[in-house]
Amino acid sequence: MVRTRGQTKKADDPDVETATVVDDKPKPKPKANSKSKVPNEDAVPEESETNNKVKHFTVPYHDKTVPCERRGEGDSPALIWTHGAGGGLAAPATSQFADGFSEHSPIVSFQGSMNLPSRTKIFHTVMEHQDFDLALGGRSMGARAATIAAVEQDRKTKALVLVSFPLVGGKKGESREQILLDLPDTIDVLFISGDRDSMCDLEQLREVIERMRAKCWLVTVKGADHGMSWSPAGTVATMRQKTGAIAAEWLQKHSSDERYYELSWVRDGSAGDLVSTGWLASLPEASEITNGDEPQDVQGADVAEDDELPPAKKRKRGKT
């Protein structure tokens, strides 16, 4: 069992991804000033380091550019990664995972549209501009796009990192399992999912994994919802970074005999610990969630990122 002392500082809105996403509409160019330059979309992608951890750059895509971020040391990313439909590069669930991953391996993240086919095409564009031959990944709709892109490309992706894969969605809760079943046995797949994810029932996911041709590994985050949030809120960033670190270490080395991993939060008085089982050969014994609190009631925390919300029920008016 591995324990990590959690953060005590409360995360800023960890449940809701509010960053603006890229769409297919042209955006006005920023005004030039002495400190900024108007980007030339026909130029070779340039990098600009804004801090010690993240380098921002763009890659050309049709008549516009795709914003990207590079974290970690090395020119060749171990993972090309993207956000869900309801967020963007700045969304905490996206950036905190990337921060944790980059402590072990380089990662390139990109911002895409809310349209699934368009997001898949952008995956191909980013791959063409990177010295890349390892893994694709994303959270929620980004995970779906990564899965589709992996089987469409000419170069063979070796692995997928799928966080909060939306196994069901749409107004009628349609199954998205077929794209997983279509994956070849040459791709290894890492799922990272919360056991309170309303879009991915773990029992259903395990049943799909049993039918997949691709070899699969599963990290279960006890108490986490679709937004990869849990309570207490001040520990969410630590947990998300840990999932990124697990993914990076898994890409470096993973065993075919140990395919299950659990993360949970255990209360210890006013503080607590992030507890991990490490990789196990079989599913851990069923246990109650031990994070100590009920899930946070944050508006939009567990809302489908890539689907319309189900129609609201009309309230019956009482007699007057």
Side-chain angles (χ1 to χ4, degrees):
M1 303 283 280
V2 180
R3 291 176 177 259
T4 304
R5 180 64 58 175
Q7 296 179 343
T8 57
K9 183 179 180 181
K10 185 174 181 180
D12 295 331
D13 297 330
D15 296 308
V16 185
E17 298 193 356
T18 57
T20 303
V21 299
V22 176
D23 56 31
D24 292 328
K25 296 180 181 179
K27 290 181 172 56
K29 293 182 178 180
K31 294 181 180 180
N33 54 45
S34 59
K35 295 184 179 180
S36 63
K37 296 180 180 179
V38 177
N40 179 1
E41 295 187 351
D42 296 323
V44 176
E46 295 183 355
E47 295 187 359
S48 61
E49 187 172 355
T50 58
N51 57 52
N52 294 331
K53 297 185 66 175
V54 183
K55 295 180 181 179
H56 297 264
F57 66 102
T58 62
V59 297
Y61 178 67
H62 299 315
D63 59 345
K64 53 183 180 293
T65 58
V66 177
C68 300
E69 294 179 347
R70 184 190 305 276
R71 290 172 171 83
E73 299 296 329
D75 297 328
S76 179
L79 176 67
I80 294 180
W81 164 257
T82 191
H83 56 87
L89 285 175
T94 300
S95 61
Q96 289 164 358
F97 174 93
D99 287 340
F101 189 99
S102 67
E103 295 299 321
H104 302 269
S105 295
I107 179 174
V108 165
S109 309
F110 73 85
Q111 185 157 313
S113 72
M114 294 176 64
N115 177 273
L116 181 61
S118 176
R119 185 76 67 90
T120 304
K121 291 177 182 178
I122 297 176
F123 253 118
H124 294 299
T125 298
V126 176
M127 283 189 280
E128 289 172 0
H129 289 83
Q130 299 295 312
D131 179 15
F132 166 81
D133 64 353
L134 187 52
L136 304 180
R139 53 166 281 99
S140 194
M141 190 197 81
R144 294 175 66 201
T147 304
I148 297 170
V151 297
E152 287 183 347
Q153 61 159 320
D154 294 331
R155 291 171 292 175
K156 301 299 181 181
T157 294
K158 296 180 177 64
L160 285 167
V161 177
L162 309 179
V163 178
S164 298
F165 186 91
L167 198 55
V168 296
K171 294 180 180 180
K172 297 182 179 180
E174 298 93 346
S175 171
R176 275 77 173 273
E177 67 181 40
Q178 192 57 51
I179 60 173
L180 297 174
L181 299 176
D182 290 340
L183 288 171
D185 59 8
T186 56
I187 296 179
D188 291 344
V189 183
L190 174 65
F191 290 97
I192 300 176
S193 189
D195 68 353
R196 284 179 172 167
D197 188 339
S198 62
M199 298 184 70
C200 187
D201 178 78
L202 280 180
E203 290 300 323
Q204 185 179 354
L205 177 60
R206 290 164 185 161
E207 189 272 334
V208 172
I209 287 174
E210 290 297 320
R211 293 189 286 130
M212 289 173 62
R213 290 180 293 167
K215 292 181 180 178
C216 300
W217 286 254
L218 174 62
V219 176
T220 300
V221 184
K222 304 287 286 183
D225 59 19
H226 186 69
M228 202 51 68
S229 295
W230 66 12
S231 181
T235 67
V236 171
T238 299
M239 175 265 287
R240 289 171 175 166
Q241 291 164 6
K242 179 63 175 179
T243 61
I246 292 171
E249 293 169 341
W250 175 83
L251 281 175
Q252 293 173 358
K253 182 180 180 181
H254 47 271
S255 168
S256 296
D257 298 326
E258 298 176 331
R259 299 192 182 187
Y260 302 98
Y261 196 115
E262 275 193 1
L263 281 179
S264 60
W265 181 261
V266 176
R267 283 283 190 174
D268 180 13
S270 60
D273 288 311
L274 180 65
V275 177
S276 63
T277 62
W279 287 105
L280 304 172
S282 59
L283 285 169
E285 294 183 4
S287 59
E288 294 183 358
I289 295 171
T290 56
N291 60 315
D293 291 321
E294 292 298 319
Q296 303 170 60
D297 184 17
V298 179
Q299 186 176 2
D302 203 21
V303 167
E305 291 188 327
D306 49 335
D307 295 286
E308 296 180 3
L309 294 174
K313 294 182 179 180
K314 294 183 179 180
R315 294 182 178 178
K316 295 182 179 180
R317 294 184 177 179
K319 294 181 180 180
T320 58

